[in-house]
Amino acid sequence: QVHVVESGGGLVQAGGSLRLACATSGTFYGINAMGWYRQAPGKQRELVAAITSGGTTNYANSVKGRFTISRDNAKNTVYLQMNSLNAEDTAVYYCNIETTGWTVVAGKRRVTPYWGQGTQVTVSS
């Protein structure tokens, strides 16, 4: 069983900063990609940022230059540093973790994605 727990959300004024964290625990062999998504009221969930096991990052155009994703492999934790926040960043932020299992089939380990429960980020203008 795998547990994914986010933290760090809250209320911040426009122009401010927040740092989200997502810790993974449980039984798995390793972690591939780790990512942050967000869902605003009435909108679809969208990718904010992702990072591969090798450290390659990918960002949504709307957050490039303002948000930074990073990971601590020793702690199985992914972070999202959010700077210069604006009202459009208000949403529930979810982390997504791709774990690999211990069993190898045809030379490959099974990849299983897990979602956190979400953390609310509210930016006041």
Side-chain angles (χ1 to χ4, degrees):
Q1 194 171 4
V2 175
H3 299 278
V4 179
V5 180
E6 298 121 336
S7 61
L11 174 65
V12 64
Q13 288 187 332
S17 299
L18 281 175
R19 189 190 193 210
L20 306 182
C22 175
T24 309
S25 62
T27 304
F28 51 88
Y29 177 79
I31 297 177
N32 287 348
M34 309 174 89
W36 287 96
Y37 291 71
R38 67 187 180 187
Q39 187 166 18
K43 294 187 177 181
Q44 290 188 331
R45 189 173 298 188
E46 62 175 0
L47 174 68
V48 176
I51 184 168
T52 67
S53 57
T56 300
T57 58
N58 180 40
Y59 295 93
N61 288 334
S62 60
V63 307
K64 282 182 180 178
R66 300 188 299 121
F67 290 11
T68 301
I69 189 171
S70 61
R71 62 191 284 171
D72 184 334
N73 292 327
K75 296 182 179 180
N76 294 325
T77 299
V78 60
Y79 304 95
L80 185 68
Q81 177 67 43
M82 304 185 294
N83 300 327
S84 302
L85 286 160
N86 56 59
E88 287 69 40
D89 297 316
T90 295
V92 178
Y93 284 70
Y94 299 90
C95 69
N96 179 269
I97 307 296
E98 290 185 350
T99 64
T100 55
W102 288 97
T103 303
V104 178
V105 177
K108 295 183 179 180
R109 299 185 184 275
R110 178 178 180 180
V111 177
T112 305
Y114 292 92
W115 290 93
Q117 80 286 355
T119 185
Q120 177 70 46
V121 172
T122 303
V123 184
S124 63
S125 55

